[in-house]
């Protein structure tokens, strides 16, 4: 924790400029993340109670909670103080502090506190933050979250409904949890625009890297995002939610998942912090970029003792369609409308009608025969899909696929279990020479065949005068 950087940020905070102060408040929390620094909390809480700028208060609210990241019971006195403050923004900070201090623990006392505030506080922002906090507490037990927020998702208060949707998105991210989607689905038609926005974002977080085989609802949600984005009459807030959702479900070229825990099941600090700050897009859209901290690449990369990639095959004991990339979107071609002739004689119309009917009967006979042939072909094609596939090193292997992946090559032995994924060191047990994967040559679209030559030298130092 850099004290010098913290002091610089504190200096910016004390300038009492609304925009700079908001950024400084958040940055102070990020700098002192999880330090439980008494002086930092004292400075931040004192200034929050003093300032007149709501923006600065908002920045400090998140900053204070970040200082108490992962501190469990040590944060209780601060949580108690903030929860009883007369200022709603500081009470909201108390909810974020519970979420950060107890993240991933599923602590019963913390859950009870959040649920109590979610139904009793007079301020909508505080209630929303309390419900969202449940997602941070339960992300290690995603199956428990739908049961906890079920009643809240049907609340009369739209802020609570939005919070419930986001809590489900945070806790069940990347799992394709059917219960969570069942609670989110009614909210996509909610009369309140920001509840629809939350439902769209949360559904994308739950469905990231799910296929139609593992979760059939993916197709419906994908088409929903596309229709909301293209609908001219749709509300701007819902449209923003659909655009974010489309980005999340296809994040990292569909090669990353959203996860708040590491591959081994430990709390991922970057992911948790990124997700909390992402949720502040409610107040300032550019903070949505923080979600990228919660993205986790889903790859299986085998390396040898020299940290080079040997040519090796992994066997995935599942159908390729089960975990493969979703099919690319097809562009619809615009059909040119034919010009209709203005005047046509009645005799020719009758004659054409007779001919059309005769042709139709012939075509119907042909179609019936063709359909029979097509059905046979389709049945054969369906049967032909293999029950496994071979993946070359490095491979895209999604989280749920790791349990069916095995090392095919007997020449190598994995040092750790392949089920963890990520980078795996492979031990060459055969003694044969390694064949290394050839690096890909990246050809830039605008690159020219001719060499550009050496770059010119920078100019000599000179003095600049305004005369």
């Amino acid at each position: 924790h850099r004290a010098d950087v913290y002091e610089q940020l504190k200096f910016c905070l004390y300038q009492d400029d609304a925009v700079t102060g908001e950024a400084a408040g958040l940055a102070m929390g990020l700098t002192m993340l999880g330090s439980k620094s008494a002086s930092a909390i004292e400075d931040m809480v004192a200034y929050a109670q003093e300032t007149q700028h709501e923006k600065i208060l908002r920045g400090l609210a998140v900053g204070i909670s970040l200082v108490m990241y992962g501190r469990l019971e040590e944060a209780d006195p601060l949580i108690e103080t903030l929860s009883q403050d007369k200022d709603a923004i500081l009470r909201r900070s108390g909810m974020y502090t519970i979420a950060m201090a107890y993240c991933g623990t599923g602590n019963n006392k913390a859950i009870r506190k959040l649920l109590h505030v979610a139904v009793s506080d007079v301020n909508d922002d505080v209630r929303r933050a309390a419900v969202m906090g449940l997602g941070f507490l339960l992300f290690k037990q995603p199956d428990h979250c739908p049961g906890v927020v079920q009643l809240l998702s049907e609340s009369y208060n739209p802020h609570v409904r939005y919070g419930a949707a986001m809590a489900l998105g945070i806790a069940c991210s990347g799992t394709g949890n059917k219960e969570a989607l069942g609670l989110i689905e009614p909210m996509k038609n909610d009369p309140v625009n920001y509840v629809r926005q939350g439902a769209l974002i949360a559904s994308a977080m739950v469905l990231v890297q799910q296929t139609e085989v593992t979760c059939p609802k993916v197709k419906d949600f994908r088409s929903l995002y596309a229709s909301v984005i293209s609908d001219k009459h749709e509300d701007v807030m819902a449209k923003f939610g659909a655009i974010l959702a489309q980005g999340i479900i296809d994040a990292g070229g569909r090669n990353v998942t959203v996860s708040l825990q590491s591959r081994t099941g430990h709390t991922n600090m970057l992911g948790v912090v990124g997700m909390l700050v992402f949720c502040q897009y409610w107040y300032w859209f550019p903070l949505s970029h923080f979600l990228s901290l919660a993205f986790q690449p889903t790859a299986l990369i085998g390396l040898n003792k020299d940290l080079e990639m040997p040519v090796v095959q992994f066997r995935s004991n599942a159908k390729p369609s089960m975990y493969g990339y979703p099919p690319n979107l097809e562009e619809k071609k615009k059909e040119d409308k034919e010009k209709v002739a203005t005047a046509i004689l009645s005799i020719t119309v009758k004659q054409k009608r007779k001919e059309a009917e005769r042709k139709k009967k012939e075509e119907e006979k042909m179609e019936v025969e063709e359909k029979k042939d097509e059905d046979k072909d389709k049945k054969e094609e369906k049967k032909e899909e293999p029950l496994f596939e071979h993946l070359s090193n490095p491979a895209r292997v999604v989280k749920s696929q790791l349990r069916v992946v095995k090392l095919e090559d007997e020449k190598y032995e994995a040092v750790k279990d392949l089920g963890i994924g990520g980078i795996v060191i492979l031990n060459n047990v055969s003694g044969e020479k390694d064949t290394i994967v050839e690096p890909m040559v990246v050809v830039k679209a605008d690159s020219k065949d001719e060499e550009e030559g050496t770059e010119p030298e920078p100019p000599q130092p000179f003095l600049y005068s305004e005369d």
Side-chain angles (χ1 to χ4, degrees), residues 248-261:
I248 293 165
I249 204 168
D250 289 336
R254 297 159 177 174
N255 295 322
V256 298
T257 186
V258 179
S259 182
L260 301 193
Q261 49 187 327

Side-chain angles (χ1 to χ4, degrees), residues 406-417:
K406 287 181 174 65
L407 188 61
E408 184 81 334
D409 205 329
E410 290 177 8
K411 185 177 167 182
Y412 294 98
E413 220 173 59
V415 172
K416 70 171 183 179
D417 182 20

Side-chain angles (χ1 to χ4, degrees), residues 150-269:
Q150 186 175 6
L151 292 173
L152 297 170
S153 69
E154 296 162 13
S155 168
Y156 71 92
N157 188 319
H159 287 267
V160 174
R161 293 202 299 275
Y162 170 90
M166 291 303 281
L168 289 164
I170 293 162
C172 305
S173 55
T175 61
N177 187 302
K178 288 178 175 61
E179 286 178 56
L181 289 170
L183 294 176
I184 291 168
E185 212 159 359
M187 289 191 255
K188 70 186 187 191
N189 301 317
D190 200 278
V192 182
N193 53 12
Y194 56 79
V195 178
R196 291 203 302 279
Q197 182 190 74
L200 291 163
I201 293 168
S203 63
M205 277 154 58
V206 175
L207 290 169
V208 67
Q209 283 202 334
Q210 296 293 321
T211 63
E212 283 177 46
V213 181
T214 57
C215 188
K217 285 184 179 175
V218 168
K219 194 177 183 182
D220 303 334
F221 275 100
R222 278 186 180 275
S223 57
L224 174 69
Y225 305 151
S227 65
V228 172
I229 291 166
S230 57
D231 187 357
K232 289 177 185 174
H233 307 293
E234 185 57 80
D235 189 271
V236 177
M237 285 184 83
K239 207 172 251 196
F240 177 71
I243 292 164
L244 274 183
Q246 187 69 67
I248 293 165
I249 204 168
D250 289 336
R254 297 159 177 174
N255 295 322
V256 298
T257 186
V258 179
S259 182
L260 301 193
Q261 49 187 327
S262 68
R263 296 178 192 281
T264 48
H266 298 291
T267 303
N268 175 14
M269 183 174 75

Side-chain angles (χ1 to χ4, degrees), residues 84-96:
Q84 290 170 2
D85 201 281
K86 64 179 189 294
D87 193 316
I89 297 176
L90 285 175
R91 291 204 303 280
R92 181 156 58 87
S93 178
M95 299 306 103
Y96 291 146

